[in-house]
Amino acid sequence: MRIFMTLVPACLLVAGCSSEQGNAEENNSDTGMTAAARSGVPAVAEAYRPSFDEALRKAGEGTSPSGACAGVVGQATTVLNNADAAAQDRADAIAALDACYVRSMARFVDTTLSIENPGPQQCISLLRALPVHRSSLGSFFEGTGEDVAGYDKRLADLVGEKVRSACPDNANTILGG
């Protein structure tokens, strides 16, 4: 009887997941979304993918992604500073900036604060990483038409609550506020 009570819910779960996965693949095949986009990873153009993937990997390991993002940001801002760049190239550059500057750093913050009861060590890690991320990468935005303050706000919107909860005394410095 115990085996039956375990097998029935497991079978229903597998059947439900299979159905949902099929529906998701069916819906996404029409939109042309990549596997990365479906998995929750921001979609970036192939030209930015190697550096962006490295940034996400580092962020997921609890290492600041700023160094890996420097390649993405440098490449993207070069495109944005080129008045002759095609509209699609500009759109790809903006998407890559947002993905690396905002999303990869948000992943780093999430990873850093994901331990049970984050404390001073995690706050120090954020204090070392976020101001440097903003100042070093943010300086590339000059002349691109992109507003670094907008990127900083999106990042703060994504991680602000967690940072304020875990590091109340340093939250403003960490978040740039």
Side-chain angles (χ1 to χ4, degrees), residues 5 21 33 41 43 50 60 66 72 89 92 104 117-118 121 123 129 136 139 144 151 158 160:
M5 296 301 282
Q21 183 179 359
M33 289 181 67
V41 174
S66 296
V72 171
D89 291 340
D92 290 347
S104 69
N117 299 318
Q121 183 177 356
C123 295
S136 63
S139 66
T144 64
Y151 286 82
L158 287 173

Side-chain angles (χ1 to χ4, degrees), residues 7 10-11 15-16 28 33-34 37 43 50 59 61 66 72 79 91 98 100 115 125 132 137 141 152 157-158 164-165:
L7 282 176
C11 290
N28 288 332
M33 289 181 67
T34 65
E61 293 173 352
S66 296
V72 171
V79 169
D98 189 70
C100 219
I115 67 164
S125 180
V132 170
L137 296 181
F141 284 61
D152 289 336
D157 288 347
L158 287 173
R164 285 184 190 87
S165 176

Side-chain angles (χ1 to χ4, degrees), residues 107-173:
R107 183 172 184 181
F108 167 71
V109 171
D110 287 343
T111 301
T112 301
L113 298 178
S114 67
I115 67 164
E116 188 173 333
N117 299 318
Q121 183 177 356
Q122 288 72 38
C123 295
I124 289 170
S125 180
L126 297 180
L127 275 167
R128 287 183 187 147
L130 270 79
V132 170
H133 184 78
R134 283 192 311 275
S135 66
S136 63
L137 296 181
S139 66
F140 283 96
F141 284 61
E142 291 180 29
T144 64
E146 292 299 298
D147 178 23
V148 73
Y151 286 82
D152 289 336
K153 182 181 179 331
R154 287 194 299 279
L155 177 58
D157 288 347
L158 287 173
V159 300
E161 188 175 315
K162 284 183 180 183
V163 170
R164 285 184 190 87
S165 176
C167 310
D169 296 337
N170 304 101
N172 286 340
T173 303

Side-chain angles (χ1 to χ4, degrees), residues 6-22:
T6 304
L7 282 176
V8 170
C11 290
L12 290 173
L13 180 63
V14 169
C17 289
S18 297
S19 174
E20 286 303 311
Q21 183 179 359

